[in-house]
Amino acid sequence: MLFLLSGPSGVGKGTVRKALFKKNPHELLYSISATTRKPRRGEVDGRDYFFLNKEQFEKMINDGQMLEYAQYVNSYYGTPKTWIDEQRDQGNDVFMEIEVNGAMQVRAKVPDAILIFLLPPDLMQLRNRLELRGTESDEVINQRLKTAREEILMMTNYDYAVVNDKVDKAVKKVQTIIDAERLKANRLANSYIKILEG
């Protein structure tokens, strides 16, 4: 299965994902993104990102090999479709953490993906989280909050919504979603049909 966690900037997607993987390190594979930006110190190709040049990335876009992609500050970021397909074909469950626009691209290409929307308890707490980062001006924070309002309205395109009021509670809810999806009768039926036919 393909699980996807997304939500507004500053909602804590990365924090929740890291806590989930720390709790269950071998249960899911984390989707590795591709980028055209240069590696930062300590980053390893194929572990942190697939580092590509602009021509390679654009060829993958044109060949339909990007599940989703976006361009930020003159660099491309995206998810190679081949890697996801290979993992799913091998029976592995893959977990993605991406922005809302990317999630909508995935929804269009992989209708059976399970989309989880991570919400802030309220917009004031989201503002506080963005301010605590200390990396952006008030103008940028205001723009991010405006975008967050628009993205929250898109929540109805998702399968589940989880409020990130406390990280451990949010992780527990995400884990519950994963467990429930794995127990759906139609998923189990496919493997049993193969056994019965064999």
Side-chain angles (χ1 to χ4, degrees):
M1 287 180 283
L2 177 59
F3 294 96
L4 194 152
L5 181 71
S6 83
S9 178
V11 77
K13 295 182 294 292
T15 304
V16 169
R17 191 258 311 156
K18 285 175 189 161
L20 177 71
F21 273 69
K22 190 173 181 182
K23 188 177 177 184
N24 297 304
H26 306 295
E27 193 173 271
L28 299 161
L29 290 178
Y30 181 55
S31 170
I32 303 167
S33 296
T35 185
T36 57
R37 76 159 169 77
K38 298 289 180 214
R40 295 181 184 135
R41 193 164 65 185
E43 288 183 330
V44 176
D45 184 49
R47 184 191 72 192
D48 300 292
Y49 281 96
F50 295 113
F51 292 100
L52 308 173
N53 63 40
K54 188 178 177 187
E55 291 74 28
Q56 289 172 310
F57 201 106
E58 288 177 344
K59 182 176 184 338
M60 289 179 76
I61 292 170
N62 292 332
D63 292 346
Q65 288 302 308
M66 279 294 167
L67 193 55
E68 56 81 28
Y69 69 93
Q71 196 168 12
Y72 300 105
V73 197
N74 298 323
S75 293
Y76 282 112
Y77 293 84
T79 305
K81 186 177 182 308
T82 307
W83 187 87
I84 299 279
D85 290 345
E86 286 171 0
Q87 298 310 317
R88 293 183 76 198
D89 289 346
Q90 292 170 25
N92 296 315
D93 291 336
V94 179
F95 193 91
M96 295 176 70
E97 169 208 326
I98 58 174
E99 299 302 320
V100 173
N101 286 335
M104 294 303 96
Q105 291 178 52
V106 173
R107 171 61 89 203
K109 293 176 185 168
V110 187
D112 69 337
I114 296 109
L115 275 59
I116 306 165
F117 193 88
L118 196 62
L119 285 157
D122 57 54
L123 288 177
M124 186 52 71
Q125 286 197 39
L126 186 60
R127 173 180 278 286
N128 292 342
R129 289 177 189 178
L130 291 168
E131 287 173 350
L132 283 171
R133 285 180 174 177
T135 57
E136 293 156 341
S137 67
D138 281 345
E139 185 182 332
V140 171
I141 289 172
N142 288 334
Q143 182 56 47
R144 287 194 183 276
L145 288 171
K146 181 178 180 269
T147 302
R149 284 185 177 93
E150 294 165 4
E151 290 174 338
I152 288 169
L153 293 173
M154 296 172 71
M155 181 177 31
T156 56
N157 295 310
Y158 287 71
D159 302 301
Y160 299 94
V162 172
V163 175
N164 186 17
D165 47 358
K166 290 200 168 42
V167 173
D168 58 335
K169 279 174 60 181
V171 168
K172 209 176 271 186
K173 289 175 185 175
V174 171
Q175 185 65 56
T176 299
I177 292 165
I178 292 167
D179 293 341
E181 285 291 332
R182 287 180 169 155
L183 294 173
K184 282 195 169 175
N186 63 338
R187 293 189 203 287
L188 292 171
N190 291 334
S191 57
Y192 276 89
I193 288 167
K194 288 176 188 168
I195 292 168
L196 294 171
E197 288 174 348

